[in-house]
Amino acid sequence: MNESPLFPLDQQHMAAGFWPQFSKRVLQWLDSQGLSTRDAVLLLPFAQHLAPARRAWMQLGRWQPRIETTHSLAAALGPKLLPQPLQISFDAAIDALSARSLLQGQSWAQALRRRDSRAFDLAVLRLVEAAHAWARAASQRAPGVREAFWSQAREALTQSGPGALERALAMVALEWAASDGRAPATDALFELQPSAWVLLQCGGPEPLANAVLDCAELHGLPVLRLSADLSLEEAFATSPPPGLIEQAVCDDFESLAQCSAAAVLQHLQLGRQPVALIAQDRVLIRRVRTLLERQSVAIGDETGWMLATLPQATQLTALLRAARPQASLDDWLGCMKSELAADLSERYGAAALSALELQCRKRGWSSPAALQLAQLSPGSARLWSAVNAALEPLSDGASVRPLADWLSALAETLQRLGATAWLESDPAGAQLLDALWLRRSPWPGSAHEAVLQQARLAYGEFVAWVEATLEAAQFVPAATGSVAVLITPLARAMLRPFAAVVLPGADAVTLGPVPAGPALLNDGLAAQLGMPTLAAKREGQVLTFAQLLRVPALTLLRCHSRGQGPLAPSPLLERLEQALQVAGLPPARQWQDARGHEPVQTHVVQRAQAVTSGLLPARLSASALESLRQCPYQFFARVMLGLREQDELEAPLDKRDYGTWLHAVLHQFHELRAKDTGAESDIECLQAAAQQQMQELGLSEAEFLPYLASFERFIPSYLKWLSAHEAGGANYQAGELAREIKPFAPLGQPLQELLLGGRIDRVDTAGGAQLLIDYKTGSVAGLKDKVATPSEDTQLAVYALLMGAEAEGGEQQALYLALDESKGVDAVIHPDVGDSAALLVDGLADDLLAMHAGQPLPALGEGAACDYCEMRGLCRRDDWTGSLL
């Protein structure tokens, strides 16, 4: 007997009362047919429907039928057969490696691999996707018609398939799925003979369940099909909506998240519990969840997280990046800072890792090869060596290994790091170990064992396999206690006794589009073979959305724009509004935001300043004095507070790196030249110094190649200037001289012990005078502007102070040497460096005494000093606009 009654949208058939009404209807039919209730089978759409259906039957006080879903019933009837080698396992990462083996015998596929490896990898993914779709479609048909399905699919592909490459991949996927001789576990359903079959349809037809019932009807078994589906256009034809429907339009993403959280809290305050929060946009839902957790709301989540997004997985991928041959030092430090290496860090002390990173940044090391163990502290050196030994299993051995060997090496690395126990103690970490076969073994003779033993991968391919495996795995934390809010997908919210539903993201982009099918199987082919089409998916989404009308309160929220463009409402909202209008009902109510508004008092941001009464720095340098002149507040932050912006280890090489290197090259060149060995020419000596300094500074030759080309042009220009310089009577004396003096000692306290220090690039003698030289790689025009007002120049004046004692009363001269390879080397002479040095000491003494006495150090906020100042956020320069300057 077949019935298709409609469960109308009325008070009796709301979400909470639906299951008692449904159970009574089924029981009446079974009694009217004289059928045994306990021997009947009732099939429901989702596992979430089992509990409310069973509770409703218990209230009837009668024997229950067997209440199952198709998959739960199949699992109870017998185990699944293990996939054999090269059979489909429905593990996407494993099947991708099996697909590679299948394509090895296809000449066209290997030609694609040689021509474009990325296109080949994409083809493998498309092949697996299509094979899974073929296999699922076949398993939803009765065993007797399955062979006909394969024949029909072959004919359809031959006649109307996609392009040549796509058709070939689709055919391989089809034959791969068809060659699997295992009977799906669900085939046991076709052999089951209960007293009656009862099927509840909700959200559209279920192919497998209908195929089972069709087969049962052919064998004369009683069958009852009931549909709870609602037509959205005719939902209110017989009665007005029994529940509250409200909607809100928000300005932007943050407003949408806050309003969604507020709507949930309003429902809870009105006693509507539990509340379903529909997960349409995972980014939005994460924000809403954060807002609710701040209010101590008990939240459950049925959607879970992709395993690859969890901290345990991201730390594992950081570990794999560090083990690459081309890994950067930043990759190593990222691995060493993770929880996976926490055991080693604790063993050698937390200070060892901080000191290691500080030394790397100070030395400018950017690659592991550039690191010098001798220059590390003992603790840092031991920590570095321990991590190096831990990563050795992944970096040692052949470049291509079986997947099982890679996994064994990864397991050993985790063990050496002391991370295995930490992962096993955490539910997500334990699932990660299982997903990667690090603490379990596949069944002998299975497809998984064959792939692990036979697939040979390079290291990059192994990392890609790990990432694919983690992306395919879903982590759903176990629910603990009762929850007030349940995050769930739209489909799983149907017919569940929620007191309210909040659906954020009810716009045309988030709620409306449906996922496309496999790329190799177009929509026309799917329709021809009875597989899911886009139209069928859209209709299923409409039916699913209509079931939300059965809850007592439904709140729909969306944004009216995204970025610069408008964002239309979802077509489902438009159809809902049309249905209300056709039924002569008022539109959905506007959601009322019950949040209060708290006034915030505005504060005018004044120019920042600091007072350092009774305090002075212990040491000053030329750069510190330059900061004091440019901006006293910058001086306060840099010198008095000692704040520094840490350089990125992986920052691209720039002009500053070139300048550091060039200083070292010229120093080495002149030191060797001063020894007058005569073994090499000046050109050869410069070139040798260039290579040696590149190695000592850990510079990559590939990255430094443009600067090396500039240096080749610089060599003749510099040697030409040097020849003229020496012809004028100048001689090199020393370079890279570190000096410290106490220029204010005669003034007594509080300046008596203050040090002035620095490093002089080069000191020459010229005609009995001491010549101070500072190398610069900047523009000549800028240097000329600097010395145009000698009293404003700081660098050379400090040089003169530092070297004054060694001048022995003789004359001091100073110049900037512009090392510009394009325009040649140019000397910019300071006209009277001695007078500038004297003025500097006098002016600086007055400034320091005033600072010690409590004179404020204001932020000037003017000129080029602000443009690249790392203290701009500290002084709040950008917040001064509109304030009293």
Side-chain angles (χ1 to χ4, degrees):
M1 178 179 179
N2 285 316
E3 290 187 12
S4 298
L6 176 67
F7 292 90
L9 187 62
D10 55 27
Q11 196 64 45
Q12 286 186 331
H13 296 94
M14 295 291 282
F18 173 85
W19 293 105
Q21 295 297 325
F22 169 73
S23 302
K24 290 177 183 177
R25 186 181 293 272
V26 175
L27 181 59
Q28 290 173 0
W29 178 78
L30 291 172
D31 287 345
S32 67
Q33 300 297 312
L35 300 172
S36 170
T37 304
R38 63 184 294 178
D39 295 328
V41 174
L42 170 58
L43 295 179
L44 301 178
F46 294 105
Q48 288 77 13
H49 297 150
L50 299 178
R54 289 167 180 168
R55 284 196 297 267
W57 274 94
M58 290 177 63
Q59 295 173 3
L60 296 177
R62 295 281 299 274
W63 282 105
Q64 288 190 22
R66 188 166 187 173
I67 303 176
E68 304 279 359
T69 66
T70 52
H71 292 286
S72 69
L73 180 56
L77 294 176
K80 291 182 179 179
L81 295 177
L82 287 172
Q84 301 302 303
L86 293 182
Q87 288 182 338
I88 295 174
S89 67
F90 290 101
D91 182 331
I94 290 293
D95 287 343
L97 297 180
S98 297
R100 284 174 176 268
S101 298
L102 289 174
L103 292 178
Q104 284 181 354
Q106 306 291 328
S107 58
W108 54 269
Q110 294 308 306
L112 174 64
R113 185 175 188 175
R114 290 189 296 270
R115 184 172 66 251
D116 189 341
S117 60
R118 291 188 177 182
F120 177 80
D121 292 339
L122 180 61
V124 169
L125 296 179
R126 295 287 182 258
L127 170 60
V128 172
E129 182 185 56
H132 287 182
W134 288 124
R136 289 192 181 96
S139 67
Q140 292 172 345
R141 285 160 172 77
V145 302
R146 199 165 289 151
E147 191 57 41
F149 169 75
W150 295 126
S151 299
Q152 183 185 6
R154 292 186 184 98
E155 182 178 357
L157 272 181
T158 302
Q159 295 178 354
S160 59
L165 176 60
E166 288 79 5
R167 183 187 299 112
L169 288 169
M171 286 296 297
V172 172
L174 174 63
E175 297 303 331
W176 186 16
S179 65
D180 193 338
R182 293 173 299 158
T186 51
D187 278 5
L189 302 179
F190 294 93
E191 301 174 2
L192 192 63
Q193 294 190 342
S195 62
W197 286 96
V198 181
L199 172 65
L200 173 63
Q201 175 179 304
C202 186
E206 184 184 357
L208 176 60
N210 280 304
V212 171
L213 267 63
D214 289 343
C215 184
E217 284 183 316
L218 291 177
H219 289 84
L221 294 177
V223 170
L224 174 65
R225 288 181 170 93
L226 299 175
S227 174
D229 285 333
L230 296 170
S231 170
L232 191 56
E233 283 71 18
E234 300 177 3
F236 312 115
T238 57
S239 63
L244 169 67
I245 304 175
E246 55 185 1
Q247 63 177 335
V249 182
C250 306
D251 294 331
D252 51 29
F253 174 90
E254 181 61 24
S255 175
L256 177 60
Q258 293 186 14
C259 289
S260 300
V264 171
L265 293 173
Q266 286 179 19
H267 289 309
L268 294 177
Q269 291 170 358
L270 293 173
R272 298 171 183 151
Q273 186 174 331
V275 177
L277 182 60
I278 305 301
Q280 290 290 112
D281 183 339
R282 290 300 301 172
V283 176
L284 174 63
I285 291 300
R286 281 199 296 269
R287 178 60 180 151
V288 176
R289 176 171 185 157
T290 300
L291 295 172
L292 292 174
E293 286 175 341
R294 293 177 182 174
Q295 303 299 319
S296 301
V297 176
I299 302 175
D301 192 343
E302 293 182 344
T303 59
W305 296 272
M306 186 187 298
L307 192 56
T309 63
L310 298 181
Q312 296 82 353
T314 56
Q315 292 176 27
L316 182 69
T317 53
L319 165 66
L320 294 174
R321 283 197 302 271
R324 296 177 305 167
Q326 67 274 25
S328 67
L329 196 54
D330 206 33
D331 292 331
W332 276 68
L333 290 173
C335 170
M336 296 167 73
K337 290 178 182 179
S338 70
E339 288 290 334
L340 294 177
D343 184 69
L344 281 183
S345 297
E346 292 177 5
R347 191 181 310 168
Y348 295 102
L353 179 55
S354 299
L356 172 62
E357 181 176 8
L358 183 62
Q359 191 73 354
C360 291
R361 295 185 185 280
K362 180 180 179 181
R363 299 286 180 178
W365 295 329
S366 59
S367 66
L371 187 139
Q372 302 292 326
L373 276 178
Q375 299 181 22
L376 298 179
S377 66
S380 298
R382 288 194 296 269
L383 174 61
W384 177 265
S385 299
V387 174
N388 198 11
L391 295 180
E392 184 180 2
L394 287 171
S395 57
D396 188 30
S399 59
V400 177
R401 305 191 216 174
L403 177 56
D405 288 359
W406 283 121
L407 293 175
S408 177
L410 177 57
E412 185 177 353
T413 293
L414 293 174
Q415 192 67 39
R416 292 186 181 186
L417 288 172
T420 306
W422 174 69
L423 289 172
E424 289 178 338
S425 65
D426 180 80
Q431 185 174 336
L432 179 145
L433 293 174
D434 288 339
L436 296 177
W437 302 93
L438 295 176
R439 69 168 191 173
R440 61 182 180 129
S441 300
W443 286 98
S446 66
H448 290 81
E449 184 193 51
V451 167
L452 264 59
Q453 297 295 334
Q454 299 173 12
R456 297 182 60 83
L457 306 176
Y459 186 74
E461 294 171 328
F462 168 65
V463 174
W465 178 85
V466 170
E467 292 174 346
T469 300
L470 297 179
E471 288 174 2
Q474 199 77 5
F475 174 71
V476 180
T480 55
S482 60
V483 297
V485 178
L486 184 65
I487 301 173
T488 187
L490 178 62
R492 294 187 194 172
M494 296 189 300
L495 300 180
R496 297 175 70 179
F498 292 117
V501 170
V502 175
L503 194 159
D507 54 74
V509 174
T510 309
L511 180 63
V514 295
L520 298 179
L521 309 180
N522 59 50
D523 210 46
L525 188 64
Q528 185 178 350
L529 298 174
M531 298 170 70
T533 62
L534 288 175
K537 292 176 183 178
R538 292 192 188 98
E539 183 57 27
Q541 186 186 57
V542 174
L543 296 174
T544 301
F545 176 77
Q547 292 299 322
L548 299 183
L549 301 175
R550 295 190 188 273
V551 297
L554 172 62
T555 305
L556 306 165
L557 305 103
R558 64 180 180 88
C559 286
H560 64 70
S561 63
R562 174 175 292 180
Q564 299 297 321
L567 190 58
S570 169
L572 300 181
L573 263 66
E574 295 177 338
R575 293 175 67 172
L576 174 61
E577 291 291 346
Q578 185 178 6
L580 290 169
Q581 183 179 0
V582 170
L585 299 171
R589 195 182 78 175
Q590 290 298 313
W591 174 72
Q592 299 298 316
D593 189 352
R595 292 178 296 167
H597 296 276
E598 182 176 347
V600 178
Q601 185 178 0
T602 59
H603 297 277
V604 176
V605 179
Q606 300 291 346
R607 186 190 299 266
Q609 64 179 15
V611 177
T612 60
S613 300
L615 298 176
L616 285 174
R619 185 181 186 276
L620 291 173
S621 65
S623 59
L625 298 183
E626 192 69 26
S627 285
L628 182 59
R629 285 183 164 182
Q630 289 181 345
C631 176
Y633 194 85
Q634 183 187 84
F635 171 84
F636 164 74
R638 287 181 179 175
V639 180
M640 303 298 289
L641 297 183
L643 301 181
R644 289 291 184 272
E645 187 176 45
Q646 295 289 350
D647 293 331
E648 292 292 334
L649 289 174
E650 288 191 317
L653 295 176
D654 56 17
K655 198 69 175 288
R656 183 174 57 177
D657 298 303
Y658 173 69
T660 302
W661 170 81
L662 187 55
H663 276 59
V665 169
L666 292 178
H667 175 61
Q668 179 178 336
F669 166 70
H670 282 289
E671 287 293 319
L672 291 175
R673 196 166 176 267
K675 295 177 182 179
D676 195 21
T677 60
E680 295 177 322
S681 67
D682 286 345
I683 294 178
E684 292 173 335
C685 190
L686 273 172
Q687 291 173 336
Q691 292 298 322
Q692 183 174 338
Q693 290 303 320
M694 278 188 59
Q695 295 176 2
E696 292 188 6
L697 294 175
L699 300 175
S700 167
E701 187 168 352
E703 288 186 85
F704 210 63
L705 188 60
Y707 295 110
L708 286 177
S710 299
F711 182 69
E712 290 298 323
R713 295 192 298 271
F714 164 79
I715 290 176
S717 177
Y718 179 75
L719 292 179
K720 179 181 179 182
W721 172 87
L722 181 61
S723 177
H725 179 63
E726 292 177 339
N731 292 295
Y732 173 83
Q733 293 298 309
E736 299 298 325
L737 294 175
R739 293 290 185 269
E740 280 188 344
I741 62 171
K742 296 180 180 180
F744 310 108
L747 301 178
Q749 295 296 336
L751 304 181
Q752 183 174 351
E753 298 301 321
L754 193 148
L755 293 172
L756 177 65
R759 183 178 294 273
I760 296 91
D761 288 349
R762 176 173 162 185
V763 178
D764 283 6
T765 58
Q770 184 186 68
L771 178 60
L772 308 176
I773 300 177
D774 187 45
Y775 297 136
K776 293 295 184 184
T777 55
S779 68
V780 176
L783 296 175
K784 290 182 178 179
D785 291 341
K786 181 178 290 190
V787 300
T789 308
S791 60
E792 295 298 321
D793 178 49
T794 303
Q795 184 77 53
L796 293 179
V798 170
Y799 275 15
L801 287 172
L802 294 176
M803 296 298 296
E806 298 184 27
E808 298 179 353
E811 182 185 356
Q812 276 188 319
Q813 299 176 3
L815 61 84
Y816 288 112
L817 190 61
L819 308 176
D820 191 327
E821 77 286 347
S822 60
K823 298 180 180 179
V825 176
D826 195 356
V828 180
I829 300 173
H830 192 293
D832 195 343
V833 71
D835 289 346
S836 296
L839 291 173
L840 176 66
V841 171
D842 293 340
L844 183 58
D846 293 339
D847 291 342
L848 292 173
L849 288 173
M851 184 192 312
H852 187 268
Q855 181 174 321
L857 300 174
L860 298 183
E862 300 169 357
C866 278
D867 293 342
Y868 302 102
C869 179
E870 70 275 20
M871 306 303 168
R872 191 180 182 116
L874 188 64
C875 76
R876 303 290 183 184
R877 174 64 185 85
D878 297 308
D879 297 331
W880 296 354
T881 303
S883 65
L884 182 60
L885 298 179

